[in-house]
Amino acid sequence: MDKFQKLTGVAAPTPLVNIDTDMIIPKVFLKSIQRTGFGKNLFDEMRYNRDGSEIADFVLNKPQYRNAEILVAGDNFGCGSSREHAPWAIKDFGIKCVISTSFADIFYNNCFKNGILPIVLPQEQVDLLMKDAEKGENARMTVDLEAQEITTSDGEVVAFEVDGHRKHCLLNGLDDIGLTLEKSASIASFEDKAAQERPWV
């Protein structure tokens, strides 16, 4: 998993509330257990017409937001079914941080497991960041995980909270497998001891 330490990039304003996982990645595309290849279908039904042409006024189709790395979203982001494909699609598109007033629990947890930083803030602070994101590609936002701060294009600083264990995992690029491998020496020692004490196993 890629490390998340400090990110400076374009933030796309996505003020819709209750964006569910089927809106993020429609079920018709859930045909693979690979984590890549879903980015092109992120928000598919909002991004494309039935003939495959782009819907020009959807935020991620606008020239200034095509390379967005941050989403400033409405309340209750990631609700609905528990599909892990939703954060896979977000990450594959290139978005590494989602900011909202609240997230569905399963989606929130899956973000951390896939190298995405979900940030929960009060409404007034999300409104401030939404307004900054609306300025377009020249208004770059910085998310500093170590300092737990977001800096707007105007230099305003917004502090955020994050669980210490999850912060450690993101800063060091550790998913569940990586966390296990951190204990590889202890695991090897245990297995050696077990083999000596119970050679029949």
Side-chain angles (χ1 to χ4, degrees), residues 148-188:
Q148 295 180 209
E149 292 179 343
I150 303 167
T151 305
T152 70
S153 62
D154 296 326
E156 292 191 65
V157 177
V158 175
F160 64 88
E161 296 297 321
V162 62
D163 173 78
H165 173 70
R166 288 169 166 162
K167 177 179 178 179
H168 168 78
C169 291
L170 282 180
L171 286 172
N172 294 282
L174 299 172
D175 57 11
D176 288 344
I177 294 173
L179 280 170
T180 301
L181 291 176
E182 278 196 318
K183 305 284 193 300
S184 58
S186 297
I187 294 169

mmCIF file of all heavy atoms in Angstrom, residues 148-188:
data_model
loop_
_atom_site.group_PDB
_atom_site.id
_atom_site.type_symbol
_atom_site.label_atom_id
_atom_site.label_comp_id
_atom_site.label_asym_id
_atom_site.label_seq_id
_atom_site.Cartn_x
_atom_site.Cartn_y
_atom_site.Cartn_z
ATOM 1 N N GLN A 148 -1.843 16.535 11.008
ATOM 2 C CA GLN A 148 -3.309 16.486 11.084
ATOM 3 C C GLN A 148 -3.921 17.844 10.792
ATOM 4 O O GLN A 148 -4.746 18.362 11.535
ATOM 5 C CB GLN A 148 -3.767 15.932 12.443
ATOM 6 C CG GLN A 148 -3.369 14.480 12.642
ATOM 7 C CD GLN A 148 -3.806 13.890 13.977
ATOM 8 O OE1 GLN A 148 -3.158 12.979 14.508
ATOM 9 N NE2 GLN A 148 -4.880 14.398 14.540
ATOM 10 N N GLU A 149 -3.508 18.392 9.663
ATOM 11 C CA GLU A 149 -3.981 19.716 9.245
ATOM 12 C C GLU A 149 -4.292 19.746 7.752
ATOM 13 O O GLU A 149 -3.599 19.115 6.946
ATOM 14 C CB GLU A 149 -2.940 20.789 9.546
ATOM 15 C CG GLU A 149 -2.716 21.057 11.025
ATOM 16 C CD GLU A 149 -1.649 22.107 11.268
ATOM 17 O OE1 GLU A 149 -0.860 22.407 10.353
ATOM 18 O OE2 GLU A 149 -1.590 22.629 12.406
ATOM 19 N N ILE A 150 -5.318 20.509 7.394
ATOM 20 C CA ILE A 150 -5.638 20.817 6.008
ATOM 21 C C ILE A 150 -5.408 22.309 5.815
ATOM 22 O O ILE A 150 -5.878 23.119 6.619
ATOM 23 C CB ILE A 150 -7.110 20.489 5.675
ATOM 24 C CG1 ILE A 150 -7.418 19.031 5.979
ATOM 25 C CG2 ILE A 150 -7.422 20.812 4.209
ATOM 26 C CD1 ILE A 150 -8.908 18.714 5.982
ATOM 27 N N THR A 151 -4.683 22.669 4.766
ATOM 28 C CA THR A 151 -4.431 24.078 4.469
ATOM 29 C C THR A 151 -5.097 24.427 3.152
ATOM 30 O O THR A 151 -4.860 23.779 2.130
ATOM 31 C CB THR A 151 -2.920 24.369 4.387
ATOM 32 O OG1 THR A 151 -2.291 23.942 5.599
ATOM 33 C CG2 THR A 151 -2.666 25.860 4.193
ATOM 34 N N THR A 152 -5.953 25.449 3.176
ATOM 35 C CA THR A 152 -6.655 25.860 1.967
ATOM 36 C C THR A 152 -5.725 26.656 1.059
ATOM 37 O O THR A 152 -4.599 27.011 1.431
ATOM 38 C CB THR A 152 -7.868 26.743 2.306
ATOM 39 O OG1 THR A 152 -7.402 28.013 2.793
ATOM 40 C CG2 THR A 152 -8.754 26.093 3.365
ATOM 41 N N SER A 153 -6.211 26.964 -0.135
ATOM 42 C CA SER A 153 -5.410 27.743 -1.079
ATOM 43 C C SER A 153 -5.129 29.144 -0.559
ATOM 44 O O SER A 153 -4.175 29.793 -0.983
ATOM 45 C CB SER A 153 -6.134 27.833 -2.428
ATOM 46 O OG SER A 153 -7.378 28.497 -2.280
ATOM 47 N N ASP A 154 -5.948 29.631 0.382
ATOM 48 C CA ASP A 154 -5.752 30.961 0.972
ATOM 49 C C ASP A 154 -4.920 30.918 2.248
ATOM 50 O O ASP A 154 -4.729 31.940 2.897
ATOM 51 C CB ASP A 154 -7.102 31.610 1.273
ATOM 52 C CG ASP A 154 -7.907 31.879 0.013
ATOM 53 O OD1 ASP A 154 -7.280 32.197 -1.026
ATOM 54 O OD2 ASP A 154 -9.139 31.766 0.054
ATOM 55 N N GLY A 155 -4.462 29.725 2.615
ATOM 56 C CA GLY A 155 -3.617 29.603 3.794
ATOM 57 C C GLY A 155 -4.359 29.369 5.096
ATOM 58 O O GLY A 155 -3.741 29.333 6.170
ATOM 59 N N GLU A 156 -5.677 29.189 5.038
ATOM 60 C CA GLU A 156 -6.421 28.876 6.264
ATOM 61 C C GLU A 156 -6.149 27.430 6.651
ATOM 62 O O GLU A 156 -6.096 26.543 5.788
ATOM 63 C CB GLU A 156 -7.918 29.089 6.059
ATOM 64 C CG GLU A 156 -8.300 30.544 5.859
ATOM 65 C CD GLU A 156 -9.806 30.736 5.928
ATOM 66 O OE1 GLU A 156 -10.372 30.498 7.017
ATOM 67 O OE2 GLU A 156 -10.395 31.114 4.902
ATOM 68 N N VAL A 157 -5.983 27.195 7.944
ATOM 69 C CA VAL A 157 -5.633 25.857 8.439
ATOM 70 C C VAL A 157 -6.798 25.267 9.216
ATOM 71 O O VAL A 157 -7.368 25.913 10.100
ATOM 72 C CB VAL A 157 -4.372 25.909 9.328
ATOM 73 C CG1 VAL A 157 -4.048 24.532 9.891
ATOM 74 C CG2 VAL A 157 -3.179 26.441 8.530
ATOM 75 N N VAL A 158 -7.139 24.033 8.871
ATOM 76 C CA VAL A 158 -8.211 23.296 9.544
ATOM 77 C C VAL A 158 -7.597 22.028 10.138
ATOM 78 O O VAL A 158 -6.992 21.229 9.424
ATOM 79 C CB VAL A 158 -9.330 22.923 8.545
ATOM 80 C CG1 VAL A 158 -10.373 22.046 9.236
ATOM 81 C CG2 VAL A 158 -9.971 24.174 7.964
ATOM 82 N N ALA A 159 -7.728 21.871 11.440
ATOM 83 C CA ALA A 159 -7.199 20.674 12.109
ATOM 84 C C ALA A 159 -8.232 19.549 12.038
ATOM 85 O O ALA A 159 -9.436 19.791 12.016
ATOM 86 C CB ALA A 159 -6.872 20.988 13.558
ATOM 87 N N PHE A 160 -7.736 18.307 11.982
ATOM 88 C CA PHE A 160 -8.651 17.159 11.979
ATOM 89 C C PHE A 160 -8.116 16.068 12.894
ATOM 90 O O PHE A 160 -6.930 16.021 13.210
ATOM 91 C CB PHE A 160 -8.862 16.627 10.554
ATOM 92 C CG PHE A 160 -7.633 16.075 9.880
ATOM 93 C CD1 PHE A 160 -7.264 14.741 10.028
ATOM 94 C CD2 PHE A 160 -6.828 16.894 9.094
ATOM 95 C CE1 PHE A 160 -6.132 14.230 9.393
ATOM 96 C CE2 PHE A 160 -5.697 16.392 8.452
ATOM 97 C CZ PHE A 160 -5.349 15.060 8.602
ATOM 98 N N GLU A 161 -9.018 15.195 13.318
ATOM 99 C CA GLU A 161 -8.669 14.081 14.185
ATOM 100 C C GLU A 161 -8.581 12.791 13.368
ATOM 101 O O GLU A 161 -9.298 12.617 12.375
ATOM 102 C CB GLU A 161 -9.717 13.906 15.290
ATOM 103 C CG GLU A 161 -9.814 15.082 16.249
ATOM 104 C CD GLU A 161 -8.537 15.312 17.032
ATOM 105 O OE1 GLU A 161 -7.902 14.305 17.434
ATOM 106 O OE2 GLU A 161 -8.166 16.474 17.238
ATOM 107 N N VAL A 162 -7.710 11.902 13.778
ATOM 108 C CA VAL A 162 -7.615 10.586 13.146
ATOM 109 C C VAL A 162 -7.094 9.605 14.190
ATOM 110 O O VAL A 162 -6.255 9.950 15.018
ATOM 111 C CB VAL A 162 -6.697 10.626 11.896
ATOM 112 C CG1 VAL A 162 -5.275 11.024 12.264
ATOM 113 C CG2 VAL A 162 -6.710 9.293 11.153
ATOM 114 N N ASP A 163 -7.622 8.400 14.162
ATOM 115 C CA ASP A 163 -7.189 7.363 15.091
ATOM 116 C C ASP A 163 -5.689 7.110 14.940
ATOM 117 O O ASP A 163 -5.166 7.013 13.829
ATOM 118 C CB ASP A 163 -7.969 6.075 14.790
ATOM 119 C CG ASP A 163 -7.478 4.897 15.595
ATOM 120 O OD1 ASP A 163 -7.817 4.815 16.780
ATOM 121 O OD2 ASP A 163 -6.732 4.068 15.021
ATOM 122 N N GLY A 164 -4.987 6.997 16.064
ATOM 123 C CA GLY A 164 -3.531 6.861 16.053
ATOM 124 C C GLY A 164 -3.036 5.631 15.308
ATOM 125 O O GLY A 164 -2.037 5.688 14.587
ATOM 126 N N HIS A 165 -3.720 4.504 15.479
ATOM 127 C CA HIS A 165 -3.302 3.269 14.792
ATOM 128 C C HIS A 165 -3.484 3.409 13.292
ATOM 129 O O HIS A 165 -2.602 3.037 12.508
ATOM 130 C CB HIS A 165 -4.109 2.091 15.324
ATOM 131 C CG HIS A 165 -3.880 0.823 14.565
ATOM 132 N ND1 HIS A 165 -2.690 0.130 14.619
ATOM 133 C CD2 HIS A 165 -4.678 0.128 13.708
ATOM 134 C CE1 HIS A 165 -2.770 -0.949 13.842
ATOM 135 N NE2 HIS A 165 -3.962 -0.961 13.276
ATOM 136 N N ARG A 166 -4.619 3.968 12.878
ATOM 137 C CA ARG A 166 -4.871 4.148 11.449
ATOM 138 C C ARG A 166 -3.902 5.160 10.846
ATOM 139 O O ARG A 166 -3.454 5.002 9.707
ATOM 140 C CB ARG A 166 -6.315 4.591 11.236
ATOM 141 C CG ARG A 166 -7.314 3.460 11.486
ATOM 142 C CD ARG A 166 -8.722 3.973 11.524
ATOM 143 N NE ARG A 166 -9.690 2.871 11.431
ATOM 144 C CZ ARG A 166 -10.961 2.984 11.772
ATOM 145 N NH1 ARG A 166 -11.417 4.148 12.216
ATOM 146 N NH2 ARG A 166 -11.767 1.958 11.649
ATOM 147 N N LYS A 167 -3.581 6.171 11.597
ATOM 148 C CA LYS A 167 -2.592 7.152 11.139
ATOM 149 C C LYS A 167 -1.250 6.468 10.905
ATOM 150 O O LYS A 167 -0.600 6.696 9.870
ATOM 151 C CB LYS A 167 -2.461 8.268 12.184
ATOM 152 C CG LYS A 167 -1.416 9.315 11.850
ATOM 153 C CD LYS A 167 -1.371 10.389 12.937
ATOM 154 C CE LYS A 167 -0.306 11.437 12.658
ATOM 155 N NZ LYS A 167 -0.286 12.501 13.696
ATOM 156 N N HIS A 168 -0.835 5.639 11.843
ATOM 157 C CA HIS A 168 0.432 4.900 11.713
ATOM 158 C C HIS A 168 0.432 4.052 10.442
ATOM 159 O O HIS A 168 1.418 4.015 9.697
ATOM 160 C CB HIS A 168 0.645 4.020 12.942
ATOM 161 C CG HIS A 168 1.744 3.013 12.801
ATOM 162 N ND1 HIS A 168 3.081 3.341 12.921
ATOM 163 C CD2 HIS A 168 1.699 1.667 12.515
ATOM 164 C CE1 HIS A 168 3.818 2.256 12.733
ATOM 165 N NE2 HIS A 168 3.006 1.235 12.482
ATOM 166 N N CYS A 169 -0.683 3.374 10.198
ATOM 167 C CA CYS A 169 -0.772 2.500 9.022
ATOM 168 C C CYS A 169 -0.663 3.295 7.728
ATOM 169 O O CYS A 169 0.069 2.902 6.806
ATOM 170 C CB CYS A 169 -2.076 1.713 9.046
ATOM 171 S SG CYS A 169 -2.137 0.460 10.349
ATOM 172 N N LEU A 170 -1.360 4.417 7.632
ATOM 173 C CA LEU A 170 -1.306 5.229 6.416
ATOM 174 C C LEU A 170 0.077 5.840 6.218
ATOM 175 O O LEU A 170 0.616 5.834 5.113
ATOM 176 C CB LEU A 170 -2.363 6.330 6.462
ATOM 177 C CG LEU A 170 -3.805 5.929 6.164
ATOM 178 C CD1 LEU A 170 -4.718 7.151 6.266
ATOM 179 C CD2 LEU A 170 -3.951 5.298 4.793
ATOM 180 N N LEU A 171 0.644 6.383 7.280
ATOM 181 C CA LEU A 171 1.960 7.014 7.161
ATOM 182 C C LEU A 171 3.016 6.025 6.685
ATOM 183 O O LEU A 171 3.958 6.401 5.973
ATOM 184 C CB LEU A 171 2.389 7.604 8.512
ATOM 185 C CG LEU A 171 1.699 8.889 8.960
ATOM 186 C CD1 LEU A 171 2.093 9.233 10.392
ATOM 187 C CD2 LEU A 171 2.053 10.058 8.033
ATOM 188 N N ASN A 172 2.844 4.756 7.066
ATOM 189 C CA ASN A 172 3.840 3.740 6.732
ATOM 190 C C ASN A 172 3.411 2.797 5.608
ATOM 191 O O ASN A 172 4.120 1.845 5.288
ATOM 192 C CB ASN A 172 4.189 2.942 7.994
ATOM 193 C CG ASN A 172 4.880 3.786 9.027
ATOM 194 O OD1 ASN A 172 6.080 4.064 8.912
ATOM 195 N ND2 ASN A 172 4.145 4.228 10.041
ATOM 196 N N GLY A 173 2.244 3.067 5.011
ATOM 197 C CA GLY A 173 1.784 2.239 3.901
ATOM 198 C C GLY A 173 1.488 0.809 4.291
ATOM 199 O O GLY A 173 1.801 -0.127 3.550
ATOM 200 N N LEU A 174 0.856 0.619 5.454
ATOM 201 C CA LEU A 174 0.602 -0.729 5.968
ATOM 202 C C LEU A 174 -0.870 -1.104 5.858
ATOM 203 O O LEU A 174 -1.724 -0.493 6.496
ATOM 204 C CB LEU A 174 1.029 -0.822 7.439
ATOM 205 C CG LEU A 174 2.510 -0.574 7.743
ATOM 206 C CD1 LEU A 174 2.728 -0.496 9.244
ATOM 207 C CD2 LEU A 174 3.370 -1.669 7.126
ATOM 208 N N ASP A 175 -1.168 -2.107 5.052
ATOM 209 C CA ASP A 175 -2.502 -2.696 5.078
ATOM 210 C C ASP A 175 -2.472 -3.858 6.067
ATOM 211 O O ASP A 175 -1.498 -4.031 6.814
ATOM 212 C CB ASP A 175 -2.941 -3.130 3.678
ATOM 213 C CG ASP A 175 -1.977 -4.124 3.027
ATOM 214 O OD1 ASP A 175 -1.085 -4.642 3.733
ATOM 215 O OD2 ASP A 175 -2.113 -4.375 1.816
ATOM 216 N N ASP A 176 -3.529 -4.677 6.095
ATOM 217 C CA ASP A 176 -3.581 -5.775 7.072
ATOM 218 C C ASP A 176 -2.427 -6.756 6.886
ATOM 219 O O ASP A 176 -1.860 -7.268 7.861
ATOM 220 C CB ASP A 176 -4.912 -6.518 6.954
ATOM 221 C CG ASP A 176 -6.081 -5.692 7.483
ATOM 222 O OD1 ASP A 176 -5.828 -4.709 8.194
ATOM 223 O OD2 ASP A 176 -7.236 -6.038 7.168
ATOM 224 N N ILE A 177 -2.048 -7.020 5.634
ATOM 225 C CA ILE A 177 -0.924 -7.926 5.367
ATOM 226 C C ILE A 177 0.378 -7.294 5.843
ATOM 227 O O ILE A 177 1.222 -7.956 6.459
ATOM 228 C CB ILE A 177 -0.855 -8.273 3.872
ATOM 229 C CG1 ILE A 177 -2.083 -9.081 3.464
ATOM 230 C CG2 ILE A 177 0.424 -9.061 3.557
ATOM 231 C CD1 ILE A 177 -2.210 -9.327 1.983
ATOM 232 N N GLY A 178 0.539 -6.008 5.562
ATOM 233 C CA GLY A 178 1.747 -5.303 6.000
ATOM 234 C C GLY A 178 1.889 -5.293 7.512
ATOM 235 O O GLY A 178 3.002 -5.441 8.044
ATOM 236 N N LEU A 179 0.765 -5.129 8.216
ATOM 237 C CA LEU A 179 0.801 -5.165 9.683
ATOM 238 C C LEU A 179 1.251 -6.531 10.185
ATOM 239 O O LEU A 179 2.026 -6.637 11.128
ATOM 240 C CB LEU A 179 -0.591 -4.845 10.244
ATOM 241 C CG LEU A 179 -0.978 -3.369 10.303
ATOM 242 C CD1 LEU A 179 -2.451 -3.236 10.645
ATOM 243 C CD2 LEU A 179 -0.127 -2.624 11.317
ATOM 244 N N THR A 180 0.759 -7.576 9.527
ATOM 245 C CA THR A 180 1.166 -8.933 9.911
ATOM 246 C C THR A 180 2.652 -9.148 9.671
ATOM 247 O O THR A 180 3.365 -9.720 10.507
ATOM 248 C CB THR A 180 0.347 -9.972 9.125
ATOM 249 O OG1 THR A 180 -1.042 -9.782 9.400
ATOM 250 C CG2 THR A 180 0.749 -11.389 9.525
ATOM 251 N N LEU A 181 3.135 -8.674 8.517
ATOM 252 C CA LEU A 181 4.550 -8.862 8.180
ATOM 253 C C LEU A 181 5.478 -8.091 9.116
ATOM 254 O O LEU A 181 6.648 -8.459 9.272
ATOM 255 C CB LEU A 181 4.799 -8.441 6.732
ATOM 256 C CG LEU A 181 4.161 -9.348 5.669
ATOM 257 C CD1 LEU A 181 4.397 -8.784 4.274
ATOM 258 C CD2 LEU A 181 4.711 -10.771 5.777
ATOM 259 N N GLU A 182 4.972 -7.030 9.756
ATOM 260 C CA GLU A 182 5.782 -6.338 10.765
ATOM 261 C C GLU A 182 6.151 -7.268 11.906
ATOM 262 O O GLU A 182 7.147 -7.065 12.592
ATOM 263 C CB GLU A 182 5.012 -5.134 11.334
ATOM 264 C CG GLU A 182 5.073 -3.880 10.499
ATOM 265 C CD GLU A 182 4.638 -2.659 11.282
ATOM 266 O OE1 GLU A 182 3.637 -2.748 12.028
ATOM 267 O OE2 GLU A 182 5.289 -1.607 11.161
ATOM 268 N N LYS A 183 5.331 -8.289 12.113
ATOM 269 C CA LYS A 183 5.560 -9.247 13.204
ATOM 270 C C LYS A 183 6.209 -10.535 12.686
ATOM 271 O O LYS A 183 6.169 -11.564 13.355
ATOM 272 C CB LYS A 183 4.223 -9.597 13.865
ATOM 273 C CG LYS A 183 3.420 -8.404 14.365
ATOM 274 C CD LYS A 183 3.996 -7.844 15.646
ATOM 275 C CE LYS A 183 3.046 -6.869 16.335
ATOM 276 N NZ LYS A 183 2.701 -5.706 15.533
ATOM 277 N N SER A 184 6.810 -10.489 11.507
ATOM 278 C CA SER A 184 7.329 -11.707 10.885
ATOM 279 C C SER A 184 8.396 -12.393 11.738
ATOM 280 O O SER A 184 8.447 -13.631 11.801
ATOM 281 C CB SER A 184 7.885 -11.404 9.488
ATOM 282 O OG SER A 184 8.900 -10.422 9.546
ATOM 283 N N ALA A 185 9.229 -11.620 12.402
ATOM 284 C CA ALA A 185 10.266 -12.231 13.249
ATOM 285 C C ALA A 185 9.637 -13.003 14.403
ATOM 286 O O ALA A 185 10.049 -14.127 14.714
ATOM 287 C CB ALA A 185 11.215 -11.159 13.775
ATOM 288 N N SER A 186 8.621 -12.420 15.039
ATOM 289 C CA SER A 186 7.931 -13.093 16.149
ATOM 290 C C SER A 186 7.191 -14.329 15.664
ATOM 291 O O SER A 186 7.164 -15.363 16.341
ATOM 292 C CB SER A 186 6.946 -12.125 16.819
ATOM 293 O OG SER A 186 7.639 -11.031 17.390
ATOM 294 N N ILE A 187 6.591 -14.221 14.479
ATOM 295 C CA ILE A 187 5.872 -15.363 13.917
ATOM 296 C C ILE A 187 6.836 -16.509 13.627
ATOM 297 O O ILE A 187 6.563 -17.675 13.950
ATOM 298 C CB ILE A 187 5.125 -14.945 12.640
ATOM 299 C CG1 ILE A 187 4.002 -13.949 12.982
ATOM 300 C CG2 ILE A 187 4.550 -16.164 11.911
ATOM 301 C CD1 ILE A 187 3.377 -13.286 11.778
ATOM 302 N N ALA A 188 7.995 -16.183 13.036
ATOM 303 C CA ALA A 188 8.996 -17.204 12.722
ATOM 304 C C ALA A 188 9.511 -17.866 13.992
ATOM 305 O O ALA A 188 9.693 -19.090 14.048
ATOM 306 C CB ALA A 188 10.151 -16.579 11.941
#
